[in-house]
Amino acid sequence: MRDILVAGNWKMNGSSTANAELMSGIIAGVPEGSGFSLLVCPPFPYLASVAAQAAGSAVSVGAQNVSEHQKGAFTGEVAPSMLSDVGCEYVIVGHSERRSLYGESSAQVAAKFQAAQAAGMTPILCVGETLEEREAGTTEKVIDEQLDAVLDAAGVEAFGTAVIAYEPVWAIGTGVTATPEQAQDMHRHIRGRFEALNADIAASVQILYGGSMKGENAAGLLAKPDIDGGLIGGASLKAEDFLAIAHAAAQN
Ligand code: PEP
């Protein structure tokens, strides 16, 4: 059985003071039990302090982005080794905001995925369709292309130490959540693609749902057989909201 991962993407929010308060609230309220883990992904400047606060707790720390390069003349970029150096265990790659606002191609996302793994971190690969793509009936094609870019570059075995997040773009930050059935259909499709390539990886890879997940809808989503957690934006910014999802995971 796969563990559930509840991952918070803080995006470009927070401050030293607000983060410390958020982290103490989360750490103090981690539910009892097993079979789930918690992760927070703060902005770059706060990674080291949040990781220091998380040390020894049940909460892991990840980054929201990473350079595909190792070092050198890449002004404004952050190398994979720097992230692992300050305590990151995970890195989100290919978030739809990176793809749409910063023009990251699927090839670049694949390079970031590999760079994160080479530095010993677990990439969380985001895939998802826009509303136009869903309405045009191309959802599966879009997801397949996003997955194939990484599968072609890194190989299926690389997903033995990776997480996938299915994030329909139309549900991110909109308050509109995919129904558990809509999400399950896509998670099944994604796992099915892996089943055709490597049964062990298909059975073990965690596939998170992202898109307006919150305390009120988490239990319904997590009850689905192929949904192994959540990548959570808005509801990860308040300890109470994030912990409501953690409790749904603990009770699943
Ligand atoms: C996200 O940013 O990955 C996300 C799912 O955001 P939200 O939960 O706010 O929709």
Side-chain angles (χ1 to χ4, degrees):
M1 204 42 207
R2 294 175 297 274
D3 278 1
I4 292 180
L5 176 61
V6 178
N9 173 12
W10 293 0
K11 308 196 187 187
M12 200 171 72
N13 294 292
S15 65
S16 302
T17 311
N19 298 343
E21 201 179 314
L22 175 55
M23 281 303 285
S24 14
I26 293 173
I27 291 167
V30 174
E32 297 286 326
S34 58
F36 67 95
S37 48
L38 305 184
L39 167 70
V40 295
C41 300
F44 286 140
Y46 303 117
L47 285 169
S49 58
V50 171
Q53 199 177 350
S57 80
V59 183
S60 301
V61 175
Q64 301 172 18
N65 185 25
V66 65
S67 172
E68 64 271 44
H69 303 290
Q70 300 305 321
K71 64 184 284 198
F74 299 101
T75 301
E77 291 292 296
V78 177
S81 60
M82 297 172 185
L83 297 179
S84 53
D85 189 28
V86 298
C88 287
E89 295 176 58
Y90 291 82
V91 188
I92 299 170
V93 298
H95 190 281
S96 66
E97 287 155 16
R98 301 292 323 166
R99 292 180 193 260
S100 66
L101 301 176
Y102 300 98
E104 285 189 11
S105 66
S106 287
Q108 195 179 4
V109 171
K112 290 182 178 215
F113 178 103
Q114 290 182 283
Q117 285 191 328
M121 294 177 290
T122 301
I124 300 177
L125 170 66
C126 300
V127 297
E129 81 288 1
T130 63
L131 187 58
E132 293 68 36
E133 289 163 341
R134 175 163 280 261
E135 286 175 348
T138 56
T139 298
E140 294 186 354
K141 181 169 170 278
V142 169
I143 305 300
D144 288 350
E145 282 169 2
Q146 292 172 344
L147 285 175
D148 283 347
V150 181
L151 282 165
D152 290 348
V156 65
E157 286 76 18
F159 284 83
T161 50
V163 173
I164 298 169
Y166 168 60
E167 297 211 301
V169 178
W170 47 272
I172 297 178
T174 58
V176 178
T177 316
T179 64
E181 291 70 29
Q182 283 174 320
Q184 166 60 23
D185 280 353
M186 285 316 301
H187 283 233
R188 177 92 286 283
H189 172 77
I190 292 168
R191 201 177 303 286
R193 297 219 59 227
F194 283 86
E195 276 160 6
L197 299 170
N198 182 317
D200 291 340
I201 302 279
S204 65
V205 68
Q206 287 174 308
I207 308 177
L208 315 184
Y209 167 78
S212 301
M213 191 188 250
K214 38 190 181 267
E216 302 87 79
N217 58 33
L221 288 158
L222 296 175
K224 293 294 180 190
D226 290 298
I227 302 183
D228 309 314
L231 181 56
I232 300 127
S236 70
L237 297 175
K238 278 195 194 153
E240 190 190 342
D241 296 345
F242 189 60
L243 287 169
I245 300 170
H247 278 276
Q251 281 157 20
N252 191 61

